[in-house]
Amino acid sequence: MNIYRPSLAVIEKINQETRDTRTFTLRFLDDDIREKYKFNPGQFNMISIFGVGEAPFSITSDPDAKGIFEHTIRMVGSVTNAIFKLREGDIVGVRGPFGKGWPLDEAKGKDLLIVAGGIGIAPLRPVIYYTIKHRDEFNKVEVLYGARTPGDLLYVDEYDQWKQAKNFRLLLTVDAVPKGVKWDHRVGVVTKLFEDMETKPDNSIVLVCGPEIMMKFAVKGLLERGFSKRQIYLSMERRMKCGVGKCGHCQIGSKYVCKDGPVFSYDEVEPLPDKIV
Amino acid sequence: MGRVLILSIEEVKNLLEKLLSRYKVYGPVKAKDFWKFEEITNPDEVDLGYISTMLPIKKYFLPPFETILHVKLGEDKEITIKEPEVNEKCVLFGVHPCDLKAILLLDKVFLDELKDPYYLKRRENTIIVALNCTAADEYCFCTTFGAGPFAKEGYDLVLTNLDERGYVLEVGSNKGEELIKAMGFAEVSDEYRETILKRKEEILRKMESEINQKRRIPNVEKLPELLAKNFNHKVWESMGKLCLACGSCNLVCPTCYCFNVVDKFSINLREVERIRTWDSCLLLEFAEVALGGNFRRERLARFKQRIYHKLSYFIEQYGEFGCVGCGRCIRWCVRKIDPVKIVGEIMEKPVPLS
Ligand SMILES: Cc1cc2nc3c(=O)[nH]c(=O)nc-3n(C[C@H](O)[C@H](O)[C@H](O)COP(=O)(O)OP(=O)(O)OC[C@H]3O[C@@H](n4cnc5c(N)ncnc54)[C@H](O)[C@@H]3O)c2cc1C
Ligand code: SF4
Ligand code: SF4
Ligand code: FES
């Protein structure tokens, strides 16, 4: 198999999440590829729009779902603009899944704290699906999620279902509430929610994803609250041109984000150069 | 394997002649004031006295521009993807040990568990005739990393110039053995073989000490730790100002492998070529991400990325230094920025190692 050759997938469904973000449900055209395709929460695909290019996107769907997978994509540049021009029934190229995902095996039997900012919730949604479906494998699950405004929150239709799960808490915050919008959660950056959380450093694992500056403050807050560097996992974002450890673009120090990550423990990230967190 | 032959300069040409009759052959050719590896059609074009070519032979395994996919966009959303075929069988004649070692390092990148199919095919289709170094210039420092002046592995055949006695030809692989068998050169007596190999050893020692005297990083095994501890040494700041961030060093470096990928439409918008091109971590766009973010916006950060990748990160990634001491990045730098000197300055006044 040629590592650079994408497989074709059809867009089954497009859901407008927010002003600039959509969730795309994809299905591989080839039966064999579709059957065999499996991913771990936190892994990503390289999505091709032929003639425009390829870019990495986290897989956001339920890892147990058969036959389909989803990407939530924010429009920021050329490939993402091209993706936003596509309609249901259109075809894209997909390579993946790539990278190492979240350490769910290690999290089993422990409390799980999820801290997400903005589109950073995308690679964590498979974890939420997974923990809800396999509720007994984990202790408490707590999700702290922050967005710019209430209108920027992703997956709002699913919150009720999440909250119904046993021993599962969802805490929300936004940076600002526009006039006239009803909002009965916190206002402020996501680290504000640390004041309300129940998860303690004892027997817990923390998964963090968001803009690097947000992860920086999240890590700082967690360390201050007694969490250790090895308990905290981050998903890093870097420019990627291959996804398979060849093009060199995603390197941070000696790490390739595409194959050694994108998920790293803070312990691994801390000594690396050229980063904000 | 292990076979040793002696070839006069005429016989070397003869060997080339025979290779030319069967394969495409690339070799070192004198350009105006430098050398380059080029296709040759006549043995006389090859200059076996060359020191270093401007571009390394990585261009034959990872071309500067290369189509990695052909995509046809048909009517009715039909998409057909075709992989380009890589068929050319060729000989690289007269490859110096540092450049050969660099290919062995690139193998670690491109032929790990996720193999690059195009690189792999070219590696399989290429015969390497190495040429041990019996001359070096003031930029060469291969001995620091054990990459030269003589090749240790990775060649099919290797030549060493013994002056008036001609060239020693040694066989390094089955492919090489088959080639030589087919050419019908006479074997030498055991006795003569001993003499020759001894002479070769002498030349090697002489070359080693000559290069070591001119340019060397001492205590290289301590280098990664030294660099790690001196990430903020004052030498870096002046380098960040001196460097123009033009990326020439990346292009001429035999172990730089980074590439960019771009899609190109045909005029009728029905066909797409996905092309990869050499890229350079010294360039501003290299580590740019969405919405204006850039993790190496500072020139200094980009400058350090290259040096640290070669002399530190590569070891963590692949178990060896990522530099072979070919000297190209100094030779071709407009500002004559010199990693050996930088390391020297750090060694002079280091943050003490524990
Ligand atoms: C592991 C991983 C997972 C990701 N998951 C998601 C996701 O689930 N949803 C989502 O919307 N986005 C995700 N991203 C970010 C997404 O890849 C970029 O937004 C996308 O590559 C931008 O491409 P573009 O062609 O639209 O932008 P471009 O036109 O290429 O450029 C816009 C800007 O983005 C920069 N850029 C180019 N390539 C990348 C890159 N690989 N990463 C970041 N910036 C880049 C350009 O330098 C430029 O500054 C993820 C990135 C990584 C590395
Ligand atoms: S870093 Fe310089 S000396 Fe080392 S292999 Fe590259 S070009 Fe040659
Ligand atoms: S990161 Fe820079 S120094 Fe390292 S291989 Fe790539 S271009 Fe060369
Ligand atoms: S994306 Fe190419 S090496 Fe990681």
Side-chain angles (χ1 to χ4, degrees):
Chain A
M1 184 62 197
N2 183 325
I3 53 172
Y4 302 120
R5 184 192 181 110
S7 303
L8 300 178
V10 59
I11 300 175
E12 293 264 285
K13 209 175 117 206
I14 301 176
N15 184 30
Q16 184 84 33
E17 296 278 355
T18 71
R19 191 170 38 82
D20 60 1
T21 306
R22 289 178 189 166
T23 297
F24 297 80
T25 307
L26 302 175
R27 189 171 57 83
F28 282 112
L29 294 183
D30 185 278
D31 296 338
D32 203 37
I33 292 171
R34 190 166 62 238
E35 284 296 306
K36 288 200 183 115
Y37 187 83
K38 257 205 182 117
F39 71 92
N40 295 320
Q43 286 191 298
F44 66 92
N45 286 326
M46 297 293 291
I47 302 292
S48 274
I49 306 301
F50 299 106
V52 184
E54 211 178 18
F57 298 99
S58 306
I59 310 164
T60 61
S61 41
D62 179 353
D64 291 336
K66 280 264 158 262
I68 57 112
F69 56 95
E70 291 179 338
H71 288 290
T72 299
I73 297 177
R74 186 172 161 214
M75 189 162 79
V76 295
S78 55
V79 173
T80 49
N81 267 297
I83 293 175
F84 270 60
K85 295 210 177 85
L86 300 177
R87 299 286 160 258
E88 288 169 5
D90 284 343
I91 309 260
V92 298
V94 180
R95 292 190 297 130
F98 295 133
K100 296 203 172 65
W102 302 104
L104 287 189
D105 281 340
E106 202 189 324
K108 285 190 178 152
K110 296 183 181 162
D111 289 343
L112 195 58
L113 174 65
I114 291 173
V115 185
I119 194 148
I121 189 88
L124 286 160
R125 185 171 172 237
V127 178
I128 295 174
Y129 279 121
Y130 188 86
T131 50
I132 290 177
K133 274 213 178 148
H134 304 253
R135 200 59 209 83
D136 298 337
E137 293 176 19
F138 304 89
N139 290 340
K140 182 202 307 300
V141 177
E142 209 168 13
V143 179
L144 318 185
Y145 176 33
R148 275 169 298 173
T149 71
D152 290 306
L153 289 166
L154 299 175
Y155 317 128
V156 274
D157 298 343
E158 298 175 11
Y159 297 170
D160 281 342
Q161 202 189 329
W162 295 357
K163 286 191 284 192
Q164 274 163 24
K166 187 175 74 197
N167 212 0
F168 190 110
R169 285 183 90 211
L170 172 66
L171 308 180
L172 301 172
T173 185
V174 292
D175 297 346
V177 184
K179 266 209 188 91
V181 174
K182 187 170 126 36
W183 180 250
D184 36 20
H185 304 270
R186 280 264 191 183
V187 177
V189 290
V190 72
T191 43
K192 265 260 169 210
L193 294 172
F194 287 157
E195 293 164 22
D196 308 334
M197 78 176 171
E198 291 171 357
T199 312
K200 297 277 176 302
D202 272 3
N203 199 36
S204 62
I205 288 278
V206 191
L207 314 181
V208 188
C209 187
E212 218 165 294
I213 185 77
M214 165 252 156
M215 296 205 282
K216 178 191 171 95
F217 288 110
V219 167
K220 188 164 167 276
L222 289 163
L223 294 177
E224 280 165 9
R225 282 169 177 77
F227 290 86
S228 74
K229 292 172 190 171
R230 294 192 47 192
Q231 255 176 304
I232 305 171
Y233 288 84
L234 313 172
S235 183
M236 303 294 285
E237 188 181 325
R238 284 297 179 275
R239 193 185 184 100
M240 290 185 179
K241 285 294 169 185
C242 74
V244 288
K246 304 282 180 274
C247 76
H249 275 272
C250 69
Q251 295 177 95
I252 319 178
S254 62
K255 304 286 184 201
Y256 286 95
V257 173
C258 67
K259 64 170 192 182
D260 303 324
V263 174
F264 297 96
S265 70
Y266 182 63
D267 204 35
E268 293 173 275
V269 170
E270 192 189 20
L272 300 179
D274 309 330
K275 61 178 194 327
I276 300 166
V277 63
Chain B
M1 294 231 210
R3 200 129 68 117
V4 177
L5 303 170
I6 299 289
L7 307 188
S8 66
I9 184 70
E10 272 66 45
E11 284 170 317
V12 171
K13 283 191 182 164
N14 203 309
L15 169 66
L16 251 175
E17 200 83 71
K18 286 185 173 154
L19 291 171
L20 278 166
S21 69
R22 291 170 62 181
Y23 303 97
K24 207 168 224 179
V25 179
Y26 300 95
V29 170
K30 179 98 183 141
K32 242 173 47 209
D33 49 359
F34 62 98
W35 288 278
K36 53 186 178 175
F37 248 89
E38 240 182 22
E39 186 180 352
I40 55 168
T41 48
N42 170 343
D44 291 329
E45 290 163 20
V46 170
D47 180 357
L48 291 183
Y50 86 110
I51 303 282
S52 170
T53 53
M54 179 159 80
L55 290 185
I57 54 165
K58 77 173 174 193
K59 66 180 180 180
Y60 297 116
F61 302 101
L62 183 71
F65 292 85
E66 172 178 27
T67 296
I68 55 172
L69 295 175
H70 299 284
V71 184
K72 263 212 171 78
L73 308 176
E75 301 296 325
D76 201 26
K77 294 181 187 166
E78 194 195 344
I79 298 177
T80 331
I81 304 176
K82 265 182 52 193
E83 298 159 21
E85 286 187 27
V86 176
N87 293 324
E88 182 184 282
K89 288 210 188 327
C90 70
V91 176
L92 300 183
F93 194 91
V95 175
H96 277 329
C98 58
D99 289 351
L100 175 58
K101 175 69 190 178
I103 295 301
L104 301 181
L105 294 178
L106 293 188
D107 286 351
K108 292 181 181 245
V109 178
F110 289 107
L111 304 181
D112 62 353
E113 63 277 16
L114 290 170
K115 296 194 175 16
D116 185 296
Y118 308 115
Y119 181 93
L120 174 64
K121 197 80 199 199
R122 292 199 175 91
R123 278 294 269 139
E124 289 170 349
N125 284 351
T126 305
I127 293 167
I128 297 184
V129 182
L131 173 65
N132 283 333
C133 290
T134 48
D137 71 7
E138 68 269 34
Y139 303 113
C140 298
F141 63 112
C142 57
T143 50
T144 289
F145 305 106
F150 282 15
K152 298 191 181 90
E153 53 176 343
Y155 52 82
D156 296 300
L157 297 172
V158 61
L159 289 163
T160 316
N161 187 358
L162 299 182
D163 302 327
E164 69 287 353
R165 267 172 283 197
Y167 286 78
V168 194
L169 175 75
E170 290 164 275
V171 173
S173 73
N174 294 334
K175 242 197 259 178
E177 175 67 32
E178 270 162 43
L179 261 179
I180 284 308
K181 245 197 259 163
M183 311 239 160
F185 291 111
E187 296 242 10
V188 296
S189 71
D190 283 355
E191 219 170 293
Y192 195 36
R193 176 193 160 110
E194 287 302 305
T195 321
I196 294 289
L197 290 180
K198 229 174 105 202
R199 174 79 188 116
K200 193 190 140 196
E201 191 68 19
E202 282 163 21
I203 298 175
L204 169 64
R205 297 292 162 239
K206 187 181 135 271
M207 279 303 295
E208 271 177 350
S209 80
E210 186 187 319
I211 295 167
N212 279 338
Q213 267 164 31
K214 276 198 280 204
R215 180 180 284 275
R216 188 168 94 95
I217 301 177
N219 297 323
V220 77
E221 62 296 337
K222 290 250 160 61
L223 191 55
E225 196 193 348
L226 184 83
L227 287 174
K229 294 240 160 91
N230 287 279
F231 198 76
N232 296 315
H233 194 279
K234 66 176 184 351
V235 70
W236 295 118
E237 208 156 316
S238 55
M239 288 302 141
K241 287 191 187 121
L242 196 58
C243 172
L244 303 172
C246 66
S248 306
C249 49
N250 299 124
L251 300 186
V252 299
C253 178
T255 66
C256 269
Y257 53 87
C258 289
F259 60 80
N260 193 16
V261 181
V262 289
D263 279 9
K264 285 244 152 65
F265 263 120
S266 63
I267 299 273
N268 65 6
L269 300 183
R270 281 278 160 236
E271 271 161 59
V272 174
E273 304 274 290
R274 180 156 290 173
I275 297 166
R276 73 163 150 197
T277 62
W278 286 359
D279 209 344
S280 159
C281 64
L282 261 309
L283 302 181
L284 181 62
E285 314 83 85
F286 189 88
E288 219 167 57
V289 295
L291 308 174
N294 191 333
F295 292 95
R296 287 195 284 271
R297 193 184 305 286
E298 304 302 318
R299 186 174 298 183
L300 177 55
R302 284 177 268 139
F303 181 78
K304 281 191 193 170
Q305 166 63 21
R306 180 176 78 90
I307 307 282
Y308 273 83
H309 192 203
K310 301 295 169 192
L311 301 181
S312 169
Y313 308 151
F314 200 89
I315 303 183
E316 281 173 67
Q317 293 170 327
Y318 303 104
E320 290 187 67
F321 280 105
C323 173
V324 296
C326 72
R328 284 186 180 86
C329 58
I330 320 167
R331 210 176 275 123
W332 295 102
C333 177
V334 195
R335 292 282 171 96
K336 284 285 171 285
I337 291 175
D338 182 343
V340 179
K341 237 176 148 172
I342 297 174
V343 170
E345 276 185 48
I346 293 177
M347 283 179 169
E348 230 166 76
K349 276 200 191 130
V351 173
L353 299 183
S354 56

